[in-house]
Amino acid sequence: MSSSFFGTLVVALNDYLTQLDDLVQQARCAFAEAHTAEQLEAARIEYLGAKNGRLKVAQKGLGSVDKADKPAAGKQFNETKVAVEAAFEEAKSGLAGEAASADDGAFDPTEPGSRLVRGRLHPITQTIADLKDIMGRLGFSVAEGPEIEDEWHNFEALNISESHPARDPLENFYLATAEANGAAVEHESPLLLRSQTSTVQIRVMEQTQPPVRIISLGRVYRPDTADPTHYPMFHQVEGLMVDRDVSMADLKSVLRLFARSYLGEDVHVRFRPSFFPFTEPSVEVDMSRHDADGEWIEFGGAGMVDPHVLRSVGYDPEEFTGFAFGLGVERLCARRHRINDIREFYKNDIRFLHQF
Ligand code: DAH
């Protein structure tokens, strides 16, 4: 993965409006979470401060919006200002009310309760739901597979031979079984945390006859050092379609529809020749958003299911063909929200998570 693919912010109208939306949401949370006068004052300075408050900064941002978009941006800015000020006033009177009722010691059941801050789904969970929804509309149903796998499903059936470097114990999380705990349990095959969701392709094809049209979303594990584009646990979205006369053109159409639905109408999809043991031909899938910086970003791999794989699950490759793809979910989510470090997803910093 290259870390340079997240671009710098360009202030297009849409981005500006999204920033304003986020600003209102975050200000509401900050004011609602203030339980003392000091906390509320700190939040006021952060959002409404005359010098460097975030509203002030957003107002300055108006300057870098395209001239033609200024009226729309300005209108939205004014509404944002009203909303943030109203949220502040509401929180202020809420605190004053609490203080008053605390003072005389009497409990007034007619007072409004203190406002609960609503939680929300984790951005990756939201992304998974979005992707299921998009692919569901294209006729793909959701399949699940275990996160603890055997070597057949993670490697062999996928045409990854014993000598392939991807099977190196240093590249995988093998489970310590019999030797480690001294138990006399013998596994037919060593077990490992799956390193890819391609395992689910095999599990589905072993159990169903074509036509097959599934996606599978879930966690995968690799002993990578965490950095802005890597994490030892991440999520993949796997797609598989097998039927008569399925072609590379179908693959490209599906991925294009998928990318446009999730990232926006202006997304382009590009294939670069590559190699995966379970597809032939194989491609790397790049996408680019032309409204932003136009950079091509690699999202994963794809290809036509290799005849060896079809044979390993008992399909006749003379009769059926199929395509498959596997893309990184964190990367899709990060691209959509312009996040440049996927470790943010797993720090559980509420200030980050509140933005989604
Ligand atoms: N499993 C591959 C990986 O984790 C990604 C992938 C490539 C999945 C090609 C596919 C495919 O289904 O056809 O790197």
Side-chain angles (χ1 to χ4, degrees):
M1 295 189 180
S2 98
S3 55
S4 64
F5 56 65
F6 298 103
T8 46
L9 249 149
V10 173
V11 185
L13 179 62
N14 271 344
D15 292 336
Y16 187 69
L17 298 185
T18 311
Q19 282 173 26
L20 293 179
D21 280 350
D22 291 348
L23 180 59
V24 175
Q25 283 212 26
Q26 289 162 16
R28 283 191 179 134
C29 289
F31 294 145
E33 279 169 359
H35 296 302
T36 63
E38 291 75 35
Q39 287 168 354
L40 185 61
E41 177 60 7
R44 186 193 66 78
I45 292 171
E46 184 182 350
Y47 287 92
L48 290 164
K51 240 180 146 191
N52 286 322
R54 292 185 49 189
L55 205 59
K56 200 77 203 164
V57 173
Q59 189 176 20
K60 287 181 195 147
L62 258 178
S64 37
V65 171
D66 224 39
K67 200 165 171 220
D69 293 331
K70 281 239 163 70
K75 180 164 175 286
Q76 186 74 16
F77 173 80
N78 288 336
E79 285 169 15
T80 302
K81 185 160 183 247
V82 170
V84 172
E85 285 170 353
F88 171 71
E89 289 303 328
E90 189 183 335
K92 195 167 129 190
S93 54
L95 271 187
E98 274 175 29
S101 57
D103 277 353
D104 64 19
F107 173 64
D108 179 355
T110 64
E111 279 285 305
S114 52
R115 218 155 25 111
L116 292 178
V117 182
R118 282 181 68 189
R120 55 195 80 197
L121 293 175
H122 190 277
I124 295 297
T125 310
Q126 290 183 33
T127 303
I128 289 175
D130 288 347
L131 301 183
K132 283 180 180 170
D133 196 46
I134 291 167
M135 293 303 289
R137 278 184 263 140
L138 295 175
F140 286 73
S141 53
V142 176
E144 304 260 358
E147 290 177 24
I148 295 178
E149 266 297 5
D150 52 40
E151 293 189 301
W152 168 256
H153 292 96
N154 203 81
F155 300 125
E156 276 149 43
L158 288 162
N159 204 26
I160 304 175
S161 67
E162 191 102 47
S163 58
H164 195 284
R167 291 180 69 156
D168 191 320
L170 294 175
E171 300 292 327
N172 294 285
F173 285 115
Y174 275 92
L175 299 194
T177 48
E179 304 89 323
N181 56 23
V185 187
E186 280 290 317
H187 289 284
E188 281 174 21
S189 151
L191 299 175
L192 71 157
L193 297 180
R194 67 179 177 192
S195 61
Q196 49 184 351
T197 44
S198 304
T199 52
V200 186
Q201 293 183 30
I202 302 301
R203 290 192 173 271
V204 168
M205 290 191 286
E206 281 174 339
Q207 280 157 26
T208 31
Q209 287 303 307
V212 170
R213 206 188 278 202
I214 57 106
I215 53 161
S216 188
L217 292 117
R219 298 188 187 97
V220 298
Y221 302 85
R222 294 178 194 177
D224 287 335
T225 306
D227 69 20
T229 52
H230 294 84
Y231 208 74
M233 181 283 303
F234 61 102
H235 294 73
Q236 289 187 325
V237 49
E238 189 84 15
L240 172 72
M241 175 165 172
V242 183
D243 204 342
R244 293 192 173 81
D245 302 324
V246 174
S247 74
M248 207 75 179
D250 298 315
L251 169 63
K252 195 157 185 186
S253 311
V254 166
L255 283 177
R256 188 184 290 133
L257 279 167
F258 170 82
R260 288 195 176 164
S261 306
Y262 185 67
L263 292 175
E265 280 304 312
D266 50 354
V267 167
H268 295 252
V269 175
R270 173 174 86 173
F271 285 170
R272 273 180 298 119
S274 185
F275 174 79
F276 296 101
F278 34 92
T279 42
E280 180 57 39
S282 305
V283 292
E284 309 266 358
V285 182
D286 299 341
M287 296 177 194
S288 148
R289 243 175 99 161
H290 284 190
D291 74 324
D293 39 42
E295 229 183 321
W296 288 103
I297 297 167
E298 186 199 319
F299 282 93
M304 299 304 294
V305 182
D306 193 289
H308 278 97
V309 174
L310 294 174
R311 247 180 250 115
S312 77
V313 295
Y315 286 6
D316 177 1
E318 298 296 322
E319 190 179 356
F320 296 108
T321 51
F323 68 67
F325 62 85
L327 312 176
V329 173
E330 277 77 358
R331 222 178 257 203
L332 285 161
C333 177
R335 180 60 186 169
R336 171 152 156 181
H337 297 292
R338 308 271 167 93
I339 293 155
N340 53 20
D341 189 334
I342 67 168
R343 288 173 295 190
E344 295 295 341
F345 291 128
Y346 301 113
K347 284 186 187 157
N348 273 340
D349 183 333
I350 211 82
R351 290 166 304 176
F352 173 79
L353 296 174
H354 256 313
Q355 302 175 92
F356 299 92

